[in-house]
Every structure is written in C-alpha cells, then in structure tokens.
Amino acid sequence: MLEQIKNAVIETSHIMLEAADGEIDTLSKEGHANFVTKYDSRVQKELFDRLAEILPEAKFMGEEDNASSSFTGKGYLFIIDPIDGTTNFIRQNQASCISVGLLKDGESVLGVVYNPYKKELFYAEKGKGAFRNGTPIRVSEEPLSNSILLFGTSPYYEELARPAFDIAYHYFRKCLDLRRSGSAAIDLCDIACGRADLYFELRLSPWDYAAGSLIIKEAGGHIHGCGQTALQFEHPQSIIAYGKGITSEDLSYFPTFF
C-alpha cells in the first residue's frame, strides 16, 4: 500500500508543476495571508480519487473545500494537505509539497511528503523507519548551541505573531542560526533528515503535520505540543519537533498555554 500511495502522490504532483509558467489566481480564506488556488482543489480531488481506489474503506480529511469526514478515531483516515506552502506556490518559490498522512484507529501509521520541485520524496511506515528517496534518514544529534532552528509564524492567527518571534529570538541567541521556509511539512522533513535540529509553530492544523510527525518519529526524533502535550489529529495545536541533541532543559522556554 505504501508504494501505491507514494506513486499516487508523485503522479498527482504534475498538477503543481503545470503552474510553473503561468499566473496563479488566488482566493482568500479566513485568516491573514490564507490563500487557496484552483491547483489546491485539483490536487486534493485527484488524491482523494486515487487513494479511494487504494483503500476504499478509508475516510478523508483535507484542507480544501471543507472536505473532512467526521473524526471518530476508528478505522482508516487519510489526512491530506494538497499543497503545503501555498503562498510559496503562488509566488513560485518552489518550497511547496504534497503531504499525505494515514491514521488507523486514530494512530498515525503512514506518512508521505513530496516536493516535486526538488524531487524529494520523504516517507515512513510505522515501525519500519523513515526514508528520503529510498535512503534511510535519521535526526541530528547536535546540541542546541550547534543547531539550526526552523519555525513557523502561524500567519493565519495574527495574535500569535509576537509570541512566535519572541520565542524565535530567544533561540536565535542560543543556536547557530534560524530559517523560515513557509512549509511546515517540509520543515518537519528537514528535522527528520538532520538538516535542522529544532522546529516550532504555535498553531498548526492536522494536515500540516499528519505525515511529517510520523516521518520524524521513525527517524528517531521527537514531536509534541507545547508543554509536552500529546499529538492529536482532531483540531489545530502547537507543535515542537527536534532531534536527539535537544534536551528537556532546552525546551523549558516554550510556554505551556498554546
């Protein structure tokens, strides 16, 4: 099934690549800088159709078009972000990806993230490790002092901008440097393969982390909410992800109320 899902994601990415030479029309959704394009909806529809053939009994949760089945915690559930990093996609920044996570009885069992511009395919199956283009990946073991920080600004929630930048500044003073890519799924995969060491965002939706969270765990890393809250896939939450060199003391600056 994993091979079929990987192929479905790669084949569907042609829709994203079609936009490379043209102007991309956008619509605004609720929240600051929250956009959707016709390509988001097309990718999601094609993925739904392909994945339904692979696993007919599965339900679906998708970012676009209010396409979410009721979350019961029973059976199979695909959680899909058709284009993570939509603002990058609109500006043709080529830091966007397709993210597909699969839950079974509420537990993440499979994750696939594909950036078609770099032809990078990250994937994991529970208990079987994490991979990039067929090669096993592991998180970094660098300490905070030798780390790279990745973070998201939760741009749809303007009230979170100041606390996010305050936290980023705190860690900027303690690590080598920081990055902001604009794609949570790509950031999580960068943690998983050791390109960076610590990532946070104060509010993310389940489709942003459903696939990447399993990839990080299978790569030997850690991911949870602020205050060590457990991952869940019913509603948005804060996310912290990190490699083996980051300690609990390093994380003590994160507030617990997000």
Side-chain angles (χ1 to χ4, degrees):
M1 185 168 61
L2 174 59
E3 291 302 313
Q4 291 178 289
I5 293 171
K6 285 159 54 181
N7 289 336
V9 170
I10 292 170
E11 291 166 8
T12 303
S13 71
H14 76 88
I15 296 172
M16 293 175 65
L17 298 177
E18 286 176 10
D21 298 320
E23 186 172 333
I24 301 173
D25 294 329
T26 65
L27 296 173
S28 294
K29 300 190 293 184
E30 184 178 355
H32 171 71
N34 192 4
F35 303 112
V36 63
T37 73
K38 65 180 181 181
Y39 297 96
D40 295 79
S41 298
R42 285 178 59 198
V43 169
Q44 181 167 286
K45 182 181 185 306
E46 184 162 331
L47 276 174
F48 278 17
D49 291 344
R50 287 175 176 267
L51 296 174
E53 292 179 1
I54 297 169
L55 194 61
E57 64 268 36
K59 295 182 178 181
F60 291 86
M61 178 189 294
E63 180 175 11
E64 309 306 339
D65 307 319
N66 297 314
S68 296
S69 303
S70 57
F71 186 94
T72 64
K74 300 295 184 181
Y76 285 104
L77 175 70
F78 281 109
I79 304 182
I80 295 170
D81 195 335
I83 302 179
D84 186 56
T86 300
T87 303
N88 289 340
F89 177 73
I90 293 167
R91 300 299 297 269
Q92 300 187 4
N93 195 25
Q94 300 193 346
S96 307
C97 64
I98 296 172
S99 175
V100 176
L102 178 63
L103 308 187
K104 182 179 181 182
D105 297 333
E107 185 176 7
S108 183
V109 295
L110 187 149
V112 176
V113 174
Y114 183 54
N115 179 346
Y117 306 106
K118 297 180 70 174
K119 291 183 168 52
E120 282 196 321
L121 181 70
F122 293 90
Y123 55 93
E125 193 171 357
K126 185 183 176 184
K128 297 185 178 181
F131 300 84
R132 171 192 169 273
N133 292 349
T135 300
I137 56 175
R138 299 293 293 174
V139 295
S140 163
E141 298 186 12
E142 296 290 344
L144 182 63
S145 60
N146 202 38
S147 69
I148 291 177
L149 170 72
L150 308 178
F151 78 109
T153 57
S154 304
Y156 313 153
Y157 309 99
E158 294 185 72
E159 71 277 11
L160 298 181
R162 178 56 65 86
F165 279 99
D166 286 346
I167 294 169
Y169 179 68
H170 170 84
Y171 284 101
F172 170 72
R173 296 173 61 205
K174 295 179 176 293
C175 67
L176 291 180
D177 207 344
L178 58 81
R179 307 281 186 269
R180 162 137 172 79
S181 77
S183 168
I186 289 175
D187 285 346
L188 293 176
C189 289
D190 282 345
I191 296 292
C193 71
R195 291 172 178 163
D197 311 277
L198 174 63
Y199 166 82
F200 79 89
E201 190 149 1
L202 297 181
R203 191 173 299 159
L204 278 176
S205 293
W207 44 76
D208 295 310
Y209 58 83
S213 60
L214 181 66
I215 294 170
I216 282 180
K217 288 179 179 179
E218 288 296 317
H222 306 275
I223 182 166
H224 51 73
C226 290
Q228 298 284 337
T229 55
L231 282 185
Q232 51 72 42
F233 301 97
E234 298 181 60
H235 49 74
Q237 70 170 107
S238 59
I239 291 291
I240 304 171
Y242 49 98
K244 290 187 174 182
I246 304 300
T247 69
S248 57
E249 183 178 352
D250 294 332
L251 301 177
S252 62
Y253 185 77
F254 282 101
T256 60
F257 47 82
F258 289 104

